[in-house]
Amino acid sequence: MFANWPLLSLLIWLPILGAIPVLLAGDRRPDLARRVALAVAAATFLVSLAMLSAFNHAIADSIARGAADLGLLKNMQLQENLLWIEALNVRYHLGVDGISVALVLLTTFTSVLVVILGWGSVEKKVAQYMAAMLVLEGLMVGVFCALDALLFYVFFEGMLIPMFILIGVWGGARRVYATLKFFIYTFFGSIFMLVGLLYLYFKTGTFELAELAKVGLSAKEQAWLFFAFLIAFAVKVPMWPVHTWLPDAHVEAPTGGSVVLAAIMLKIGGYGFIRFSLPIVPDASLEYAWLVIAMSLIAVVYVGYVALVQEDMKKLIAYSSIAHMGFVTLGVFISLALARSGNATGAAVGIQGAMVQMISHGFVSGAMFASVGVLYDRMHTRMIRDYGGVVNTMPRFAALFVLFAMANCGLPGTSGFVGEFWVILAAFQHNPLVGALAAFTLIIGAAYTLWLVKRVIFGEVANEHVAELQDMNGRETLVLATLAAAVLLLGLWPQPLGNLMDAPIAELVKHIVISKGA
Amino acid sequence: MISLTDILTLLPESFLTLAICALLLLDLFLKPAQRSVTHYLSIVVLAVTGWLVLQHFGEPTAFGGMFVRDGVAVVLKVFVLLTTALVFVYARPYLRDRSLFVGEYYVLCLFAVLGMMLLVSAGSLVMIYLGLELLALSSYALVALNRDSPLSSEAAMKYFVLGALASGMLLYGMSMIYGAAGSLDLNTIHAVAAASTQRGLLLFGVVFVVVGIAFKFGAAPFHMWLPDVYQGAPTAVTVFIGSAPKLAAFGMAYRLLEGGLDGLGGHWQLMLALLAVLSLAIGNIAAIMQSNLKRMLAYSTISHVGFLFLGLVNGQPEGYAAAMFYAISYALTAAAAFGIILLLSRAGFEAEEIADYKGLSQRAPWYAFLMALIMFSLAGVPPLFGFFGKLLVLKAVAVPGTLWLAIAGAIFAIVGIYYYLRIVKVMYFDDPDADAVPAKPADAPMRAVLSVNALALLVLGLTWGPLYGWCAQAFGIR
């Protein structure tokens, strides 16, 4: 029933415009601002559910109607295609396929939780905080829906502004350093992508992703473009060795900012590899797959070890995020190699794994950061040594935290297992050594996560501050319990998510098999 | 023979000339308390001139090709007039606080506008020189407006000496070109330059002409005057010389290089490319170290000139349209940026140190928000106006052969982002000093116009299509 509504525009603009009444409520009336923000975020989430329902029904429709030939992107639904800038043929072209739908849902879902989380933990300039969050939400949805490369870029870069403000205003002691580093690093990455896109525009006269995926490119052109994309998305993921902004940004960001950063923003890097690098420059991607695979393995193994020695909980989880995102890039590029060697099934499994890993990591890392936020609000420290025996005073919190920790280790039955398992499965088909190295991470992951749990949650009550801790209130319980339900649901029943993404992934694998050399 | 059509073609300029003379006389009879009359009349004069420009009276050329009225001239004139009107609105409270609120300010600015209008319409070397000198002489006097300030006088002196040197260079180059082509008419020069095989003399002239252009733009390595003048001049003057003349400078470069010397493209294009990269490097890197906002914006201007040159490098209509779009976006943004400085300054206090902006978001959240928009636009972050200017010039060079320029532009855009972000950081992340001067309640028209100006950077960022379409049309693209 929603199929003919401009749902995607609504998803983008509702939160962005919704930020205006939140700002008007003002910092002097924080409760009103919080309520309006929650209403906007919840409404956006409902719209995204409407999108999901419209999406399922629309598949048959669009094929029956003989939708315009979009090549690689023929699974795109709910399209809106308007001319934005006539002179450059830039289009306001939105659309979603299974991959985007999953990420959009993750975004809207997480944003509701983040608004609820900010209810108690943000005290100063509440209206501005909530408004920045909502603008950020709209822009992130835009990134996942844009089918025009320039439109994508505008959302991709525009996102930096609210995040810059979020970390800089509400962050911790070294927030200025962290937020400048975050901004400059990401800007550094993306501007080369812009030059690459402009070169592609010179070749094709369009920014349409579907057209860019079709255009033939020589090996040299592909190589240059590949590195332009690689810098942009590797910084965003982030991959070793350009990951150093992430621990700083995470440590200094307010809880809500950390959650958004970990749960959604990092996914944009992985999404970029799937939407840009693979379809547009498949041959160069294959040629340099070894490089990305090596970088991913370093992320998985070395950064895992780095996580082991951290003394700051947020930093530890940040490094663990990098290691987990290593699986995503590993899965994507191994699949490319598999697809070219004729193993289409294996390739599909690898990309599926990468995607599931992204969604799962969204839930798990979001939950971990939210948990640390819960502790931080009470103790105002993130240092592991200041904790110990939290289970004695906060049993409900401890139960959920242990669950998230297990998901972070990749315990079967939790969402963390599914994606990693599929990626390792694909990796073994590509090269047993790579598979073994990737599997090795499960041990390191378990080591740093369990050790964290041991030091923070279990044992004797470490000091009088811990002894005075109050268990979670209703709001915090709601957030963490919802995330826990999502983690378990995805772990026990990943099939619906897999089905959702089957069609676009199959199409992608079909596309990357064909060499583009011109 | 001067015919009636010639006069009709020059109607906007003629009207402006007469109006300036009338204003000058009228101002003599006004008491200081009535000075606002001059202010409002000047804005009316600008509006009427703008309206006349848009009417396209007369013929496309006048005075035997000395004066050209094509799409490029019309677009540039409209934005010169618009920017100057903004400047007048922003400058008034500042001038009044410092007893600089005199008729001469308006008359000199209007004379400079007249010079710019002739400059962008020039069809011969003489016209270029006339327009340029009218603009330059008015600017020298404007910088010295506050004659009791040693800093201003020094800046004016420096500006004058270096400006005269630049004019000399330009004139020398022009004389060489005249010697080679035997004509001052740009069309004839164009034909000769395209046909001649003995190019030694022409090339010799081109070098000096390019140097003259670079001087007027403030492109590195001919930028030395620019930071001192921006800092030394009263801010009400800086806002003027920092905004509208960039449009005129673009017009001059276009007339000379494309109109006259197109046939020698391969030679001046390389010079411009080098000037562009140098300007990007020096402007962006030197701006990082500044603690004075006006000086920082001066170095930022140098870097923006570098970007603008990138649009000229390929000598293609798309590139010119991109450069013109860039000049327009820069002029509007710069006017707003200096407008904020004017807004926060008060009698006896110049809000020109970056430290003066500490915690502005707590003292004056709306102004801080506007300033943040301006800074993000200058930095070139989408979806703001400034980004699309950068996008267009990068697009113009992101073709095989000049790809290295696009990459250089990209690299220096990253360097540049730091100092713009620093302003946002100071305003939003720092707490105000205890003795910070509270933001004064600005007068209503200024507040309104400045808000519209800054918000336009966001709105134009989302809807820049028609404006670019206008620029593209002026260069005959589609």
Side-chain angles (χ1 to χ4, degrees):
Chain A
M1 78 182 260
F2 300 106
N4 293 320
W5 293 30
L7 284 174
L8 301 181
S9 286
L10 204 59
L11 275 174
I12 295 171
W13 294 104
L14 182 66
I16 293 180
L17 297 177
I20 296 172
V22 174
L23 277 177
L24 288 180
D27 295 331
R28 295 206 190 89
R29 285 177 291 176
D31 263 332
L32 182 62
R34 287 180 185 125
R35 285 204 192 99
V36 177
L38 182 60
V40 173
T44 315
F45 182 58
L46 288 179
V47 176
S48 68
L49 290 182
M51 174 198 68
L52 183 64
S53 80
F55 184 81
N56 283 334
H57 299 294
I59 294 178
D61 279 18
S62 72
I63 294 171
R65 268 190 276 116
D69 181 24
L70 271 168
L72 174 66
L73 305 179
K74 72 177 171 209
N75 292 297
M76 289 293 171
Q77 302 176 30
L78 299 170
Q79 288 191 27
E80 295 164 40
N81 192 349
L82 302 168
L83 195 58
W84 180 24
I85 304 298
E86 198 183 349
L88 289 188
N89 196 13
V90 183
R91 305 192 77 85
Y92 177 77
H93 190 177
L94 305 174
V96 281
D97 61 5
I99 295 175
S100 312
V101 165
L103 290 165
V104 168
L105 280 172
L106 177 69
T107 308
T108 53
F109 173 75
T110 314
S111 296
V112 176
L113 297 184
V114 162
V115 168
I116 300 176
L117 265 182
W119 211 273
S121 61
V122 175
E123 301 289 339
K124 71 170 187 179
K125 299 185 191 169
V126 176
Q128 292 181 37
Y129 175 86
M130 293 295 178
M133 276 297 177
L134 289 176
V135 172
L136 188 58
E137 179 189 1
L139 294 173
M140 290 188 300
V141 172
V143 165
F144 293 130
C145 295
L147 295 186
D148 183 282
L150 195 68
L151 188 66
F152 173 90
Y153 187 82
V154 167
F155 286 125
F156 187 76
E157 287 280 278
M159 229 165 45
L160 297 181
I161 299 178
M163 200 64 193
F164 176 71
I165 303 274
L166 273 173
I167 301 178
V169 175
W170 291 275
R174 288 171 71 237
R175 58 185 197 275
V176 173
Y177 168 78
T179 198
L180 277 174
K181 189 168 174 180
F182 158 76
F183 197 111
I184 293 173
Y185 242 106
T186 352
F187 192 82
F188 168 81
S190 46
I191 194 128
F192 292 104
M193 177 170 84
L194 180 66
V195 176
L197 292 178
L198 287 170
Y199 184 78
L200 281 169
Y201 177 82
F202 163 75
K203 292 280 287 189
T204 60
T206 175
F207 287 109
E208 282 276 352
L209 278 183
E211 294 298 320
L212 300 186
K214 279 186 213 157
V215 63
L217 295 163
S218 72
K220 198 176 150 205
E221 286 170 324
Q222 285 202 33
W224 279 95
L225 287 168
F226 172 77
F227 282 103
F229 290 141
L230 179 66
I231 297 176
F233 299 129
V235 167
K236 206 79 175 185
V237 166
M239 296 175 78
W240 181 89
V242 285
H243 64 281
T244 60
W245 62 271
L246 186 79
D248 286 314
H250 264 316
V251 168
E252 299 305 327
T255 304
S258 288
V259 173
V260 171
L261 200 56
I264 312 166
M265 250 192 196
L266 306 189
K267 309 303 170 293
I268 290 169
Y271 178 79
F273 280 122
I274 291 177
R275 274 277 187 269
F276 284 80
S277 300
L278 251 49
I280 299 177
V281 288
D283 301 309
S285 298
L286 181 68
E287 195 181 338
Y288 295 101
W290 63 269
L291 178 68
V292 181
I293 291 173
M295 282 160 69
S296 307
L297 285 176
I298 294 175
V300 167
V301 178
Y302 161 76
V303 175
Y305 275 115
V306 174
L308 205 52
V309 299
Q310 297 305 316
E311 295 174 343
D312 180 320
M313 287 193 281
K314 265 187 154 180
K315 227 170 191 164
L316 188 147
I317 302 169
Y319 280 109
S320 126
S321 279
I322 300 167
H324 282 96
M325 289 305 289
F327 268 101
V328 175
T329 46
L330 187 67
V332 169
F333 280 84
I334 276 181
S335 302
L336 177 64
L338 282 176
R340 280 293 170 90
S341 58
N343 185 348
T345 338
V349 169
I351 297 183
Q352 283 273 16
M355 280 305 302
V356 172
Q357 171 76 356
M358 288 217 275
I359 305 288
S360 150
H361 179 255
F363 292 138
V364 176
S365 70
M368 297 282 279
F369 279 114
S371 306
V372 174
V374 167
L375 286 178
Y376 183 79
D377 286 345
R378 289 166 173 67
M379 302 270 287
H380 296 284
T381 170
R382 292 180 305 259
M383 291 299 152
I384 295 174
R385 62 168 177 274
D386 294 332
Y387 290 90
V390 170
V391 67
N392 299 306
T393 45
M394 299 177 73
R396 272 187 294 156
F397 170 79
L400 288 175
F401 189 76
V402 170
L403 172 71
F404 297 135
M406 290 304 157
N408 205 38
C409 312
L411 189 76
T414 62
S415 66
F417 172 71
V418 185
E420 291 181 8
F421 180 67
W422 286 353
V423 170
I424 293 173
L425 215 56
F428 266 110
Q429 298 181 35
H430 170 64
N431 180 341
L433 184 65
V434 171
L437 264 174
F440 182 60
T441 185
L442 292 176
I443 304 169
I444 310 173
Y448 60 70
T449 318
L450 293 180
W451 198 29
L452 171 76
V453 171
K454 174 193 167 273
R455 285 180 293 172
V456 172
I457 301 290
F458 296 126
E460 293 300 310
V461 172
N463 53 44
E464 70 266 33
H465 297 298
V466 174
E468 287 163 8
L469 281 176
Q470 300 283 316
D471 208 340
M472 294 188 294
N473 59 27
R475 206 179 52 241
E476 292 160 342
T477 315
L478 174 70
V479 172
L480 291 188
T482 316
L483 283 166
V487 166
L488 285 176
L489 188 68
L490 189 55
L492 296 172
W493 198 35
Q495 209 49 47
L497 181 63
N499 289 345
L500 190 63
M501 298 186 301
D502 257 347
I505 288 177
E507 197 58 41
L508 178 66
V509 170
K510 227 161 48 182
H511 177 86
I512 54 180
V513 169
I514 302 157
S515 168
K516 264 186 142 186
Chain B
M1 268 312 278
I2 297 176
S3 69
L4 193 64
T5 24
D6 285 344
I7 304 284
L8 206 58
T9 310
L10 259 81
L11 196 59
E13 286 78 8
S14 316
F15 167 78
L16 185 58
T17 316
L18 292 178
I20 296 170
C21 297
L23 265 180
L24 194 55
L25 280 178
L26 176 71
D27 192 63
L28 286 177
F29 300 102
L30 287 176
K31 295 192 193 71
Q34 299 166 312
R35 199 67 68 204
S36 293
V37 175
T38 317
H39 171 79
Y40 288 114
L41 275 180
S42 310
I43 292 174
V44 171
V45 166
L46 289 173
V48 174
T49 315
W51 180 77
L52 287 172
V53 166
L54 286 173
Q55 296 312 306
H56 303 278
F57 289 122
E59 299 292 319
T61 59
F63 297 108
M66 291 269 276
F67 182 91
V68 184
R69 199 216 39 224
D70 53 6
V72 179
V74 171
V75 176
L76 286 174
K77 281 176 195 176
V78 166
F79 282 98
V80 163
L81 293 165
L82 175 68
T83 318
T84 312
L86 292 176
V87 165
F88 284 173
V89 175
Y90 300 158
R92 188 165 84 125
Y94 180 95
L95 293 169
R96 222 170 18 197
D97 284 348
R98 285 167 185 68
S99 48
L100 292 173
F101 194 41
V102 290
E104 287 82 353
Y105 174 78
Y106 293 95
V107 171
L108 284 170
C109 283
L110 289 176
F111 267 123
V113 168
L114 181 62
M116 290 190 256
M117 289 177 69
L118 294 176
L119 184 56
V120 299
S121 269
S124 86
L125 296 179
V126 173
M127 199 63 157
I128 287 185
Y129 192 71
L130 268 180
L132 186 64
E133 283 308 285
L134 190 51
L135 164 63
L137 287 171
S138 312
S139 309
Y140 305 147
L142 275 170
V143 173
L145 192 67
N146 188 7
R147 60 169 187 196
D148 297 332
S149 153
L151 209 58
S152 279
S153 311
E154 186 201 319
M157 201 60 181
K158 198 168 204 169
Y159 193 16
F160 176 68
V161 171
L162 290 175
L165 186 68
S167 297
M169 297 260 194
L170 191 65
L171 211 51
Y172 188 57
M174 284 177 175
S175 71
M176 294 293 160
I177 291 171
Y178 176 67
S183 170
L184 290 169
D185 181 62
L186 285 173
N187 281 331
T188 318
I189 295 171
H190 187 267
V192 171
S196 73
T197 46
Q198 295 290 326
R199 289 178 161 183
L201 195 58
L202 265 178
L203 282 178
F204 198 66
V206 167
V207 173
F208 284 95
V209 166
V210 169
V211 169
I213 291 173
F215 237 111
K216 293 297 172 185
F217 260 116
F222 307 105
H223 65 283
M224 302 299 180
W225 58 275
L226 201 131
D228 291 335
V229 170
Y230 272 42
Q231 191 186 3
T235 313
V237 174
T238 313
V239 63
F240 179 68
I241 54 177
S243 54
K246 300 295 165 224
L247 291 162
F250 166 75
M252 175 172 100
Y254 171 70
R255 293 286 173 221
L256 275 171
L257 299 178
E258 164 70 19
L261 304 166
D262 191 29
L264 302 170
H267 298 279
W268 54 258
Q269 280 162 9
L270 184 63
M271 292 184 228
L272 281 191
L274 294 175
L275 287 171
V277 173
L278 259 180
S279 303
L280 284 168
I282 290 180
N284 277 318
I285 291 169
I288 293 175
M289 294 171 285
Q290 305 308 319
S291 62
N292 181 299
L293 184 56
K294 277 162 81 179
R295 219 174 159 79
M296 187 203 96
L297 285 173
Y299 282 106
S300 122
T301 305
I302 297 168
S303 77
H304 284 282
V305 166
F307 261 108
L308 202 154
F309 276 4
L310 288 185
L312 302 175
V313 159
N314 266 345
Q316 296 296 325
E318 284 83 6
Y320 292 130
M324 184 152 89
F325 185 87
Y326 199 91
I328 292 169
S329 86
Y330 179 72
L332 291 179
T333 318
F338 287 110
I340 296 271
I341 302 182
L342 289 168
L343 179 81
L344 298 175
S345 300
R346 61 193 47 243
F349 171 70
E350 306 276 343
E352 57 176 57
E353 293 298 323
I354 290 177
D356 295 336
Y357 291 79
K358 269 190 181 172
L360 190 67
S361 74
Q362 291 167 41
R363 294 182 283 144
W366 180 244
Y367 299 148
F369 173 69
L370 296 181
M371 189 64 163
L373 282 184
I374 295 165
M375 287 300 137
F376 280 121
S377 181
L378 285 172
V381 181
L384 293 153
F385 198 24
F387 165 72
F388 295 99
K390 285 206 169 64
L391 173 79
L392 286 168
V393 293
L394 285 180
K395 171 184 158 276
V397 286
V399 293
T402 47
L403 211 50
W404 66 280
L405 281 171
I407 292 171
I411 290 173
F412 287 111
I414 303 164
V415 177
I417 200 138
Y418 173 75
Y419 55 89
Y420 298 118
L421 286 182
R422 195 168 59 145
I423 307 292
V424 178
K425 173 233 156 199
V426 165
M427 290 190 306
Y428 276 87
F429 309 161
D430 290 358
D431 286 323
D433 291 336
D435 59 343
V437 192
K440 70 176 167 179
D443 69 344
M446 171 166 188
R447 206 168 38 197
V449 174
L450 190 56
S451 303
V452 171
N453 190 177
L455 288 178
L457 302 179
L458 185 59
V459 175
L460 281 172
L462 299 174
T463 58
W464 53 280
L467 179 59
Y468 177 69
W470 200 22
C471 294
Q473 201 185 17
F475 290 98
I477 307 169
R478 272 191 289 182

